[in-house]
């Protein structure tokens, strides 16, 4: 196998051959400059058919971009706020309300930039240049700020990104011995932060709360770690965690990391069948759960789901001997909990008995840290495997710079730890920085849509990180639920999970942040471990809806359907050229699928599966998954583009677009539309929405069907379940599949009832 060492300055170059048949949207080149959407399609059916081309043709088509800085240096052509008249750019500075035009810039103020970690485009470029030209030196300097029992070897990074040269391999800091729990807790306590609040817990009901200092958190982590060791959990063993957002969830994650066990957190909303799949795949020594939890007014009986999953696992040859169960009396009495003697253990009966100190299991940087399963509408869930050292360094660094974190900040990410955001930016990234983190168990609109801002005021939250879906749902309820609260503590806002359309971005900026707070619109994935493209508050002007520029060490590439890397203003498939420390190392037990899914579509690149447009200023506009595309009469139309046009109508709060079969067009556009609270359904509004799309995109993109939607089927973290929408639109109601992960499963029946309205 051929490996590429990152121990010296990288010199990109070489030839890439076309790897698969892809079709690039023919209308993408006419999209307006600042519209944050393109129209792309990945023709999955043609994946296996490779076109054979000659070496000369391959070189002509696929010559790599030789200057890794060429797409970030463009930022230097923009004027600075100190450099004169920005009004010609239709721009504002922090503190000024942003108008409705989509092509506006938002410049950081002089005061804001002067206090930021990265204060200017020049400073960013200097750091970025070193990160891509000397990745070993750049990341070694950052890694040295953490505790290592033993430093890594000569090669900081050893990688092979090209399937044509052998097995895909990514290694960072191999030979370095460390422990991420030690760096999250012990190191901070030794630095004098033992009495600083680590976790502020907010329960489902207002008034239910709790706190843990870093010292108290370490004590509880050690108790759980000692229990796990006592029941036979060793380094490398898997532990399934099926808990709601109690403090015990990050406690258990850290306890596993402390003893070198591999945790696999499963979102406490997945069905018994989904949980069983994960149990069968990783064969854990123990399952840790809770008897029940309240989500809003609803009770979820988690222990019953776990019981069913364990039974299914046993039928497939995987038995679970221990089920540690947290007693949550607010949701369910202990005596009402179904119980299996000899297997089930109450958390409160055993954990407090264990010592509050536990020796650290030192692990290699490349030893596994956790598994996190990602699932699609079909196929076996993919067990994404992250290792310790590189993930630790990367999540800590991205958290610090993307949110411009300061020790005085109170940070709240609304994500559940069942998803990667909860791993990287609720638990590990913040705590590696010694941050105070809010862990919220409840629903963000319970008991009313002002709950988020009530929490912000209660804890003086300064950094607020959430999903565009949640922002849109709160936007729908009206400004009054926001403006009744102060929110003066807010300093940075963040967006995660999907592209945020400009109108939502502006509302988030103007109303929630009072035009004072930059928005870190982060692009990343479960597989990447941390942010790859993100604004840096204070560093450069933002454009509403753009993820802006790559993070340090990240070399994004936009390629066409043949794998040719595109320069300048362009649209295409988003790939990454070289590895970064937080990258996942494999799919658990299926390295072949890992290579086929992520590295074979465009040989020599990591293929993200997302579409992207880069504008003339070098800003990146993420457009969602490239298979979220509709082919209407030969026009390939990105669903995100149509959704963005629909929500630009002031009476539309949210939209989700899917494609359904059409005997003439091939596919037709089917739009689910949620209106602003109080706006009635009407035929006139239906026509206006269609006209809006026609005007902004073209007649070919006009929806054939507007389906009124009181709500959309979403997971608790805010992800829209589009496979369910496709089944409803196609009237395949007997194929809806598992709806147990939805925040509100009743939405599905409401949509079915409104199908013919």
């Amino acid at each position: 196998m051929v490996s590429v060492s990152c121990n010296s300055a990288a010199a990109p170059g070489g030839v890439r051959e076309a790897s698969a048949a892809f079709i690039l949207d023919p209308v993408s080149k006419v999209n307006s400059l600042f519209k944050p959407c393109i129209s792309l399609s990945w023709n999955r059916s043609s994946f296996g058919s490779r076109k054979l081309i000659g070496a000369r043709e391959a070189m002509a088509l696929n010559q790599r971009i030789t200057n890794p800085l060429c797409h970030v240096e463009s930022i230097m052509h923009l004027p600075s706020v100190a450099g004169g008249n920005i009004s010609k750019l239709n721009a504002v500075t922090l503190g000024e309300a942003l108008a409705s035009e989509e092509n506006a810039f938002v410049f950081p103020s002089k005061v804001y930039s002067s206090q930021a970690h990265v204060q200017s485009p020049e400073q960013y470029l200097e750091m970025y240049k070193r990160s891509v030209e000397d990745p070993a030196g750049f990341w070694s300097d950052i890694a040295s700020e953490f505790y290592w029992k033993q430093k890594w070897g000569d090669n900081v990074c050893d990688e092979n990104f090209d399937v044509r040269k052998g097995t895909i391999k990514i290694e960072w800091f191999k030979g370095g011995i460390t422990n991420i729990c030690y760096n999250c807790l012990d190191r901070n306590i030794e630095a004098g932060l033992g009495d600083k609040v680590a976790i502020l817990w907010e329960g489902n009901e207002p008034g239910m709360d709790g706190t843990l200092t870093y010292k108290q958190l370490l004590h509880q982590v050690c108790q759980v770690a000692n229990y796990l060791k006592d029941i036979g959990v060793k380094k490398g063993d898997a532990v399934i965690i099926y808990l709601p957002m109690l403090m015990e969830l990050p406690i258990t994650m850290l306890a596993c990391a402390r003893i070198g066990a591999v945790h696999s957190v499963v979102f406490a909303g997945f069905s018994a069948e989904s949980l069983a799949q994960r149990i069968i795949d990783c064969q854990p020594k123990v399952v840790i759960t809770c008897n029940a939890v309240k989500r809003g007014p609803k009770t979820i009986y988690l222990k019953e789901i776990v019981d069913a999953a364990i039974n299914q696992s046993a039928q497939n040859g995987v038995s679970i001997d221990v089920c540690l169960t947290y007693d949550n009396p607010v949701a369910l009495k202990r005596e009402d909990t179904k119980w299996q003697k000899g297997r089930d253990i109450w958390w409160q009966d055993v954990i407090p008995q264990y010592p509050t100190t536990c020796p650290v299991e030192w692990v290699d940087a490349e030893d596994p840290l956790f598994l996190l399963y990602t699932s699609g509408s079909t196929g076996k869930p993919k067990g994404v495997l992250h290792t310790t050292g590189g993930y630790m360094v990367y999540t800590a660094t991205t958290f610090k710079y993307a949110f411009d974190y300061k020790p005085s900040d109170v940070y709240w990410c609304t994500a559940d730890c069942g998803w990667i955001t909860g791993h990287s930016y609720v638990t590990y990234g913040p705590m590696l920085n010694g941050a105070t983190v809010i862990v919220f168990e409840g629903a963000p609109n319970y008991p009313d849509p002002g709950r988020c801002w009530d929490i912000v005021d209660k804890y003086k939250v300064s950094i607020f990180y959430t999903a565009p879906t949640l922002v849109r749902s709160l936007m729908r309820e009206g400004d009054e639920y926001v403006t009744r609260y102060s929110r003066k503590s807010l300093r940075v806002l963040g967006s995660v999970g999907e592209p945020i359309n400009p109108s939502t971005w502006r509302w988030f900026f103007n109303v929630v942040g009072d035009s004072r707070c930059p928005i870190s619109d982060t692009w990343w994935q479960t597989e990447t471990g941390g942010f790859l493209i993100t604004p840096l508050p204070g560093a450069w002007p933002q454009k509403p809806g753009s993820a802006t520029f790559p993070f340090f060490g990240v070399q994004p590439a936009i390629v066409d359907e043949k794998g040719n890397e595109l320069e300048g203003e362009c649209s295409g498939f988003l790939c990454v050229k070289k590895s970064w420390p937080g990258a996942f190392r494999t799919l658990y037990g299926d390295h072949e699928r890992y290579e086929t899914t992520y590295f074979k579509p465009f040989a020599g690149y990591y293929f993200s599966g997302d579409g992207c447009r880069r504008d003339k200023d070098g800003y990146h506009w993420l457009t969602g998954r490239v298979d979220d595309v509709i082919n209407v009469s030969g026009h390939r139309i990105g669903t995100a583009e149509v959704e963005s046009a629909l929500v630009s109508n002031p009476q539309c709060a949210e939209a989700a677009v899917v494609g359904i079969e059409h005997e003439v067009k091939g596919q037709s556009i089917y739009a689910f539309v949620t209106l602003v609270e109080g706006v009635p359904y009407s035929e006139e509004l239906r026509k206006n929405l269609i006209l809006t799309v026609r005007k902004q995109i073209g007649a070919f993109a006009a929806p054939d069907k507007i389906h009124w939607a009181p709500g959309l089927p979403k997971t608790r973290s805010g992800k829209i379940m589009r496979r369910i929408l496709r089944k409803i639109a196609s009237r395949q109601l007997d194929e809806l599949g598992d709806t147990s992960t939805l925040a509100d499963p009743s939405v599905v029946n409401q949509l079915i009832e409104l199908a013919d309205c």
Side-chain angles (χ1 to χ4, degrees):
M1 183 182 73
V2 178
S3 296
V4 179
S5 174
C6 297
N7 203 38
S8 59
V15 180
R16 304 192 179 280
E17 64 183 4
S19 60
F22 290 89
I23 300 175
L24 186 66
D25 168 39
V27 301
S28 63
K29 292 182 173 60
V30 301
N31 288 336
S32 61
L33 177 62
F34 294 98
K35 189 183 299 296
C37 305
I38 58 172
S39 306
L40 296 171
S41 177
W42 177 12
N43 188 344
R44 290 183 182 274
S45 63
S46 63
F47 179 79
S49 58
R50 297 173 180 244
K51 180 182 177 183
L52 298 176
I53 58 177
R56 182 176 300 176
E57 182 183 5
M59 181 171 292
L61 288 174
N62 300 289
Q63 186 68 40
R64 289 195 75 169
I65 306 301
T66 57
N67 177 13
L69 303 177
C70 63
H71 299 307
V72 297
E73 289 176 334
S74 57
I75 196 173
M76 295 303 298
H77 301 304
L78 294 172
S80 69
V81 69
N85 185 9
I86 64 172
S87 61
K88 294 179 181 179
L89 296 172
N90 190 26
V92 300
T93 57
L94 287 180
E96 300 175 346
L98 182 64
S100 61
E101 291 85 353
E102 291 187 6
N103 60 343
F105 288 88
V106 178
F107 281 77
S109 65
K110 295 179 183 178
V111 172
Y112 200 102
S113 291
S114 68
Q115 298 172 352
H117 290 306
V118 182
Q119 300 179 357
S120 65
E122 292 85 356
Q123 185 183 352
Y124 163 74
L125 280 172
E126 181 181 353
M127 295 176 71
Y128 183 81
K129 181 178 181 180
R130 187 188 178 211
S131 74
V132 298
E133 294 182 348
D134 179 21
F138 181 86
W139 290 112
S140 289
D141 286 351
I142 293 175
S144 297
E145 297 174 6
F146 299 90
Y147 179 80
W148 299 80
K149 189 77 171 176
Q150 175 181 308
K151 196 170 181 180
W152 50 91
D154 293 336
N155 284 342
V156 176
C157 167
D158 193 19
E159 70 176 29
N160 174 41
F161 244 40
D162 195 332
V163 291
R164 297 165 300 186
K165 296 179 179 178
T167 302
I168 295 296
K169 181 181 76 168
I170 301 170
E171 293 178 341
W172 283 83
F173 311 113
K174 188 172 178 61
I177 306 300
T178 188
N179 183 282
I180 196 170
C181 175
Y182 184 91
N183 279 284
C184 283
L185 303 181
D186 306 64
R187 184 175 64 101
N188 285 320
I189 293 169
E190 291 164 3
L193 300 181
D195 294 327
K196 181 178 181 178
V197 173
I199 295 177
L200 291 162
W201 178 75
E202 177 76 6
N204 183 64
E205 298 292 337
M208 292 177 55
D209 51 34
T211 63
L212 284 176
T213 65
Y214 270 92
K215 191 178 298 182
Q216 292 169 333
L217 177 59
L218 175 60
H219 290 169
Q220 294 200 25
V221 165
C222 287
Q223 288 180 313
V224 176
N226 284 321
Y227 169 77
L228 293 174
K229 289 169 62 178
D230 199 31
I231 63 172
V233 177
K234 303 182 297 298
K235 177 183 176 182
D237 287 341
V239 173
I240 287 276
I241 306 171
Y242 189 76
L243 282 169
M245 286 294 282
L246 302 168
M247 286 191 282
E248 283 67 24
L249 177 46
I251 286 171
T252 305
M253 294 167 65
L254 290 161
C256 291
R258 191 169 192 84
I259 63 173
V262 181
H263 62 70
S264 177
V265 182
V266 181
F267 171 59
F270 272 115
S271 66
E273 181 178 347
S274 297
L275 178 58
Q277 287 180 319
R278 290 150 174 78
I279 293 173
I280 293 166
D281 193 60
C282 72
Q283 301 184 26
K285 285 289 186 71
V286 57
V287 174
I288 301 176
T289 189
C290 176
N291 57 347
V293 67
K294 299 282 284 189
R295 289 188 183 146
K298 184 179 180 181
T299 301
I300 310 295
Y301 298 95
L302 299 179
K303 177 63 165 53
E304 293 183 9
I305 296 172
V306 171
D307 288 344
I310 291 176
N311 290 338
Q312 289 184 38
S313 302
Q315 293 170 11
N316 286 273
V318 178
S319 61
I320 300 297
D321 297 327
V322 179
C323 178
L324 181 65
T325 305
Y326 184 82
D327 179 10
N328 190 16
V330 175
L332 184 66
K333 294 180 180 179
R334 181 181 283 211
E335 56 267 27
D336 294 332
T337 303
K338 294 182 179 179
W339 207 249
Q340 181 174 315
K341 291 184 178 180
R343 182 197 71 188
D344 299 343
I345 306 292
W346 286 113
W347 175 295
Q348 287 88 338
D349 287 353
V350 294
I351 298 300
Q353 300 176 12
Y354 283 86
T356 56
T357 60
C358 177
V360 170
E361 180 71 38
W362 300 105
V363 300
D364 189 275
E366 283 301 319
D367 281 342
L369 175 62
F370 66 85
L371 282 171
L372 189 56
Y373 287 86
T374 64
S375 59
S377 56
T378 60
K380 177 185 174 184
K382 298 176 292 186
V384 171
L385 178 66
H386 281 283
T387 53
T388 301
Y391 176 84
M392 175 180 74
V393 172
Y394 197 72
T395 53
T397 308
T398 49
F399 175 82
K400 173 183 176 180
Y401 286 105
F403 296 123
D404 193 43
Y405 170 75
K406 309 290 174 43
S408 58
D409 282 319
V410 175
Y411 167 77
W412 181 20
C413 172
T414 63
D416 192 289
C417 286
W419 311 108
I420 186 62
T421 305
H423 283 60
S424 298
Y425 300 112
V426 172
T427 305
Y428 292 117
M431 291 185 185
L432 287 165
N433 282 276
T436 296
V437 181
I438 291 178
V439 173
F440 178 46
E441 181 194 356
N445 59 352
Y446 176 81
D448 64 51
R451 183 70 186 279
C452 284
W453 322 123
D454 177 54
I455 294 172
V456 166
D457 281 0
K458 177 179 178 179
Y459 296 109
K460 301 297 185 289
V461 173
S462 53
I463 304 173
F464 178 71
Y465 188 41
T466 194
T469 301
L470 175 59
V471 177
R472 287 193 295 269
S473 67
L474 297 175
M475 178 180 169
R476 179 191 179 199
E477 301 294 339
D479 296 1
E480 64 272 15
Y481 281 105
V482 183
T483 56
R484 69 174 60 167
Y485 297 96
S486 167
R487 296 160 289 108
K488 295 299 183 184
S489 59
L490 288 174
R491 189 175 66 82
V492 177
L493 301 175
S495 173
V496 59
E498 59 182 298
I500 182 169
N501 54 289
S503 60
T504 303
W505 196 103
R506 287 191 295 271
W507 183 85
F508 201 24
F509 177 82
N510 286 333
V511 179
V512 174
D514 285 331
S515 307
R516 299 177 293 100
C517 307
I519 298 175
S520 289
D521 177 16
T522 61
W523 176 77
W524 61 301
Q525 302 172 313
T526 301
E527 294 87 347
T528 71
F531 309 144
L532 293 193
I533 303 176
T534 179
L536 300 181
W540 55 66
Q542 296 184 293
K543 295 184 181 183
S546 171
T548 66
F549 292 90
F551 192 73
F552 305 124
V554 177
Q555 297 186 49
I558 298 176
V559 304
D560 66 14
E561 71 280 5
K562 294 181 180 180
N564 304 317
E565 192 169 328
L566 305 174
E567 293 191 65
E569 186 177 356
C570 61
S571 299
F573 303 93
L574 182 57
C575 298
V576 184
K577 296 182 190 180
K578 299 179 72 64
S579 73
W580 57 99
F584 75 133
R585 304 313 198 233
T586 190
L587 292 176
Y588 181 66
D590 200 346
H591 198 74
E592 181 180 358
R593 186 182 183 188
Y594 168 74
E595 295 184 341
T596 299
T597 303
Y598 302 99
F599 295 93
K600 286 186 178 178
F602 299 105
Y605 295 86
Y606 166 79
F607 175 45
S608 70
D610 281 342
C612 185
R613 182 171 63 85
R614 185 170 52 232
D615 69 21
K616 67 180 180 65
D617 298 315
Y619 285 68
H620 293 79
W621 302 83
L622 275 298
T623 62
R625 305 299 294 173
V626 294
D627 52 358
D628 285 341
V629 175
I630 305 169
N631 189 338
V632 180
S633 301
H635 295 289
R636 309 193 71 83
I637 303 162
T639 57
E641 184 171 14
V642 181
E643 291 165 0
S644 184
L646 287 167
V647 298
S648 70
N649 186 302
Q651 293 180 303
C652 176
E654 190 166 26
V657 170
V658 298
I660 60 173
E661 291 185 9
H662 190 282
E663 59 181 8
V664 176
K665 300 178 182 179
Q667 284 185 299
S668 65
I669 297 174
Y670 195 110
F672 293 84
V673 172
T674 301
L675 301 179
V676 172
E677 191 69 29
V679 174
Y681 305 141
S682 70
E683 188 60 28
E684 180 182 3
L685 179 54
R686 190 193 308 267
K687 292 177 180 178
N688 285 340
L689 289 168
I690 293 172
L691 184 61
T692 299
V693 178
R694 291 173 66 97
K695 287 182 176 179
Q696 292 196 20
I697 305 175
F700 60 88
D704 287 65
K705 171 73 173 178
I706 299 288
H707 186 138
W708 302 123
L712 295 172
K714 303 171 186 172
T715 64
R716 189 180 176 216
S717 65
K719 180 180 179 181
I720 297 173
M721 299 292 282
R722 295 177 187 274
R723 67 170 176 82
I724 294 176
L725 294 179
R726 293 188 186 98
K727 298 300 183 183
I728 294 173
S730 302
R731 302 298 189 269
Q732 297 172 318
L733 303 182
D734 57 340
E735 300 178 16
L736 292 175
D738 183 14
T739 61
S740 64
T741 61
L742 300 181
D744 181 8
S746 68
V747 165
V748 175
N749 289 330
Q750 294 175 9
L751 291 175
I752 293 172
E753 292 172 1
L754 289 168
D756 297 318
C757 295

